Amino acid sequence: MKDGTILHKQRFPSSNPRVALWVITYACQGLKIKGMLAEPKEKGMYDGFLYLRGGIKNVGTVRPARLIQFASQGFIVMAPFYRGNQGGEGNEDFAGDDRYDAFAAYDLLKQLPNVYHDRIHIFGFSRGGVMALLTAIEKNDSRSLVLWGGVTDMVLTYEEREDLRRMMKRVIGGTPSKYPERYEWRTPLHRAHLIEPPVLLIHGLEDKNVSIDHSYQLESKLKKSNKKVTSWYFENFPHAFPPKENRETVKKLTKWMKAQ
């Protein structure tokens, strides 16, 4: 079974009458992976939008309201739950083998008849940032790449987030000093020179979950490689933006995407 093949599609209640929601089961590496698809009900062709969530397990899970926000701006949005989540097969990883779930979800978008196959955008929030970078390196025909409060360095995450260390040691198998190669494999920052699409970095300077250093490091590496990068840094904002500014930023970033 080809990765990205839709195996099952079930309607999900939508709070927006103009946006349809579906829970999708799709193939990836012989596993059945779950995800959510949001699409405008109005007939037509749309840009694809790969939404890569943050967190792990039920923390930072895909929220239908968030997908509706982006679909309302004129995108068909696909959001993998990642393996081992919401009834999907396999064991959840942390920017490890679950990267293939993101790659397959990108392929899924490319197969949809109402998506412009040469206009698929990649978006990552928080932990989804590292997933988005991995996907952009693998799928070098993507139209744009946006990281919002995105993780770019897994060693830095281990150092900054004492509350995540136990989980990271369990999932990755140990500490960065014990298994440096495992952390390097999960850190696409070192391969930033392979990123082809224009990049937009959105980050709050008061972010305590994912420090601004993640974006600073990526921006520096992209500029050294003469890549196209734009940064929107917000002085007093934490990881989660206030509702009004959140809505405004969604409109701005989707407008930026469409201009690419």
Side-chain angles (χ1 to χ4, degrees):
M1 183 73 69
K2 190 179 172 188
D3 282 5
T5 302
I6 295 175
L7 306 173
H8 188 252
K9 192 176 176 184
Q10 185 177 347
R11 281 301 279 266
F12 188 89
S14 173
S15 59
N16 187 320
R18 294 183 299 280
V19 175
L21 286 180
W22 309 83
V23 172
I24 300 287
T25 306
Y26 66 101
C28 178
Q29 296 188 312
L31 298 172
K32 293 175 182 175
I33 307 297
K34 299 281 190 177
M36 184 166 276
L37 188 72
E39 51 186 350
K41 286 184 180 174
E42 190 177 332
K43 291 272 188 287
M45 296 294 294
Y46 295 93
D47 283 19
F49 188 115
L50 178 61
Y51 179 95
L52 297 168
R53 56 160 283 200
I56 190 164
K57 294 291 183 193
N58 291 325
V59 177
T61 191
V62 174
R63 291 185 298 116
R66 191 65 163 156
L67 303 193
I68 287 169
Q69 252 191 322
F70 287 111
S72 299
Q73 300 300 316
F75 293 87
I76 292 180
V77 186
M78 175 62 197
F81 296 151
Y82 307 141
R83 58 190 58 195
N85 279 301
Q86 309 287 322
E89 293 177 347
N91 297 315
E92 186 169 44
D93 207 328
F94 199 65
D97 287 337
D98 52 351
R99 69 187 64 193
Y100 300 108
D101 306 339
F103 301 170
Y106 183 94
D107 293 339
L108 186 158
L109 275 170
K110 285 199 94 163
Q111 294 165 33
L112 296 177
N114 51 348
V115 167
Y116 291 115
H117 298 164
D118 62 342
R119 292 196 58 81
I120 297 177
H121 309 269
I122 303 170
F123 173 91
F125 177 73
S126 195
R127 166 266 180 103
V130 78
M131 304 294 285
L133 286 167
L134 290 165
T135 307
I137 291 166
E138 178 72 17
K139 307 292 181 181
N140 61 10
D141 60 347
S142 57
R143 182 58 64 161
S144 75
L145 170 63
V146 177
L147 270 64
W148 188 333
V151 169
T152 66
D153 184 337
M154 294 296 277
V155 175
L156 183 57
T157 298
Y158 185 88
E159 290 167 354
E160 289 178 344
R161 294 291 301 273
E162 285 185 41
D163 57 322
L164 295 182
R165 284 180 193 170
R166 193 171 163 192
M167 176 277 292
M168 291 179 79
K169 283 190 280 192
R170 175 177 56 80
V171 174
I172 300 172
T175 64
S177 56
K178 191 174 182 183
Y179 294 109
E181 73 288 349
R182 295 184 186 180
Y183 282 80
E184 182 155 337
W185 182 60
R186 290 168 165 83
T187 299
L189 181 68
H190 308 310
R191 287 171 284 141
H193 61 283
L194 299 174
I195 292 167
E196 292 299 333
V199 180
L200 171 62
L201 302 173
I202 303 169
H203 219 124
L205 268 69
E206 295 300 314
D207 193 333
K208 300 290 190 285
N209 294 46
V210 180
S211 77
I212 189 70
D213 290 335
H214 286 266
S215 284
Y216 286 163
Q217 285 189 86
L218 178 60
E219 184 179 23
S220 172
K221 284 188 178 287
L222 289 168
K223 283 180 173 174
K224 277 178 187 166
S225 300
N226 294 314
K227 300 295 181 179
K228 192 176 174 187
V229 57
T230 303
S231 53
W232 298 347
Y233 297 146
F234 295 82
E235 206 162 297
N236 300 311
F237 288 4
H239 196 52
F241 284 22
K244 180 174 173 284
E245 287 80 0
N246 192 316
R247 287 191 299 272
E248 287 171 357
T249 306
V250 164
K251 284 182 181 171
K252 271 182 68 182
L253 83 85
T254 50
K255 190 176 176 185
W256 178 89
M257 279 180 167
K258 287 179 179 177
Q260 305 311 310

